Structure formats: structure tokens, C-alpha cells
Amino acid sequence: MAEKMKLEMVTPYKKVLSEEVDEIIAPGIVGELGLLPGHTPLLTTLKIGELTYRKNGAAFHVAVNWGYLEVEDDTVTVLAETAEPADEIDLARAQAALGRAETALKTLTPEDKNYRIMEAALERALIRIQVAGKKVR
């Protein structure tokens, strides 16, 4: 069994990272996924959430916004709509997005077509703020 696995993370805009890692915890659509070297092949959907990976004893955090995760031959490929490592998140921008989403949700009803859009925006902002607070120092 391999001691490390390759983590490849890409968005439609750029390659976010390519690392040899020890462990990955990802926000699967039906719950958190824990992945270690030697994991069986897998293809799943990701939801808005925090992806954490460990490398040489240190934990790194990434805010992901929907996507797919594939495990094959000790390579984990994450294709996400957006993915922001903790140290790249603009906290002020995330807090502003949170405020806009909260304000919009106060004026909308669940029947409004924009309600779910604003709910997702709120969830993304909360995750980005949470992840930004976990920057490696």
C-alpha cells in the first residue's frame, strides 16, 4: 500500500493544487469522506464545504463550491466550480458576500426563485469565512 496519494484540484479557471498528501477529508453530497492511500476507486459529488488535507503532519484547508471527486490508483482528482485555499481567501470580500446574502434572504420567501440562489451564496460565504480562519500560520 502506498504511503502517500496525489491530490489534484482544478476549477474551470485554473489548477488550484497538485500535492502528495497523507489524508483527505472532503464534503461529499451525503456526508464527509475520509480518504487514505490505497482507497478503493470512487466517483462522487461534492457539496459546498471545507476540504481538508494533511501533508507531513500539517493540515491545509480549502473552501470548495460543488464539484466531483474521483479516486483511482492513489490519485484523488477534485473538479470543483470554485476552490480557494485558506491563505487565498479575501476575508473582507467573504464577509461582504455574507452580508449581501443575509439582507437578500430577509426580503425573499422560500417560493421566490432567487431564494435558493441566496441560500447557496450564504452557505458559500460562511464556508469561506470558516476556512479563512484556518490559515496555516
Side-chain angles (χ1 to χ4, degrees):
M1 184 167 97
E3 293 183 22
K4 300 267 187 188
M5 58 188 165
K6 182 84 165 178
L7 173 59
E8 299 278 347
M9 187 177 298
V10 296
T11 70
Y13 311 104
K14 68 177 184 174
K15 184 177 213 171
V16 177
L17 61 91
S18 179
E19 301 274 344
E20 292 286 327
V21 303
D22 302 312
E23 173 187 11
I24 301 168
I25 300 169
I29 199 79
V30 292
E32 282 193 345
L33 297 163
L35 306 168
L36 295 169
H39 197 285
T40 188
L42 167 75
L43 177 62
T44 191
T45 306
L46 297 176
K47 65 178 185 172
I48 296 170
E50 177 181 346
L51 183 142
T52 302
Y53 64 94
R54 295 190 188 285
K55 179 180 176 181
N56 302 323
F60 300 87
H61 307 275
V62 181
V64 295
N65 176 26
W66 305 105
Y68 299 96
L69 179 143
E70 179 184 39
V71 180
E72 190 168 351
D73 298 327
D74 281 321
T75 298
V76 177
T77 305
V78 174
L79 306 172
E81 222 176 273
T82 63
E84 294 176 277
D87 59 350
E88 293 180 14
I89 294 173
D90 181 340
L91 186 56
R93 192 170 143 248
Q95 290 169 333
L98 176 65
R100 285 190 305 274
E102 287 174 334
T103 300
L105 284 170
K106 287 177 186 174
T107 64
L108 298 172
T109 64
E111 294 78 31
D112 191 304
K113 66 179 182 177
N114 290 321
Y115 188 82
R116 287 198 182 251
I117 293 168
M118 287 297 112
E119 271 187 327
L122 178 74
E123 189 176 3
R124 280 192 308 273
L126 287 170
I127 290 296
R128 291 176 69 231
I129 291 167
Q130 173 185 315
V131 170
K134 297 180 179 181
K135 291 179 183 176
V136 176
R137 292 173 175 80

